[in-house]
Amino acid sequence: SRYELAAADLREWRREGVVVQEDAPAFYVYEQTYRPPTPMPREGDEPLKRRGFIGLVRLEEYEKRVVLPHESTLRAPKEDRLRLMRATECSLSQIFSIYSDPQLTFETMAEEVCSCPPLWEVTDAEGVVHRFWAMTDEGMCAALTAMFADRPIVIADGHHRYETALAYRNEQRDRHGHIPDAPWEYVSMFLCNT
């Protein structure tokens, strides 16, 4: 099935080194530079830039008010994603979430990280430039983690993925017991300051 094929592709990517695990904890700065879609592109329009970071977020039920939804989900897409997650034992797409930090903690750190050449830069078919850096400084990572001790996260896009990750986590807890730092206790998110 397509789920087993996806699992085989992922194993091959790991074997070939396409997908690797960092040696130390890291966040990833991800930046997109793009022109907003308009009915008629105008000369001189400045491109827009969105910069955030990718990291693991501990899965929490919505009732705890740590991660907040804003829309309902459908059963069929979650069942499809859960079958894929079971086959690959992996979350393959970041959840896009937002948070509020008027002090611009991440943005200040990102300026230093982004002063170096990116790990990669690519322009997609729609003209969006994607750049990616690793933030590996222990102090920066600790400060960024601490910033979320009492700061809620709002899912902008990815409610099905988040609820699927919760369901997978619960299955793994039933199978292995509650192991606080097990990989299934977390989900990958792209986080962007409002």
Side-chain angles (χ1 to χ4, degrees), residues 9-161:
D9 284 345
L10 183 58
R11 283 191 301 273
E12 183 68 13
W13 292 346
R14 287 178 171 151
R15 190 185 66 72
E16 292 177 353
V18 174
V19 177
V20 296
Q21 184 169 341
E22 288 287 345
D23 294 330
F27 288 106
Y28 297 96
V29 178
Y30 175 46
E31 177 184 275
Q32 297 170 307
T33 304
Y34 61 97
R35 294 190 183 279
T38 59
M40 293 292 291
R42 293 172 290 180
E43 281 295 317
D45 279 353
E46 290 297 315
L48 300 176
K49 189 178 289 188
R50 173 171 44 207
R51 186 183 283 171
F53 65 96
I54 297 169
L56 292 179
V57 173
R58 183 177 296 280
L59 288 159
E60 299 283 0
E61 285 76 12
Y62 293 144
E63 298 78 35
K64 292 188 177 180
R65 313 283 302 154
V66 174
V67 175
L68 305 172
H70 74 271
E71 65 184 33
S72 299
T73 56
L74 303 170
R75 190 180 85 236
K78 290 189 289 189
E79 287 175 358
D80 177 62
R81 289 186 180 278
L82 186 56
R83 291 178 69 186
L84 180 62
M85 191 172 273
R86 286 174 182 147
T88 61
E89 297 181 325
C90 188
S91 174
L92 299 169
S93 178
Q94 278 86 40
I95 295 162
F96 180 15
S97 297
I98 57 176
Y99 64 94
S100 178
D101 176 31
Q103 291 75 34
L104 305 176
T105 305
F106 162 73
E107 290 77 4
T108 302
M109 290 186 278
E111 284 302 317
E112 181 180 336
V113 173
C114 296
S115 67
C116 299
L119 292 176
W120 54 261
E121 177 177 324
V122 64
T123 302
D124 67 23
E126 295 174 355
V128 179
V129 179
H130 304 266
R131 293 181 188 91
F132 192 81
W133 295 262
M135 179 188 288
T136 56
D137 179 85
E138 288 181 27
M140 287 183 180
C141 290
L144 200 50
T145 300
M147 183 180 82
F148 284 94
D150 60 354
R151 191 178 310 270
I153 295 170
V154 178
I155 297 173
D157 181 52
H159 292 77
H160 289 89
R161 283 169 274 166

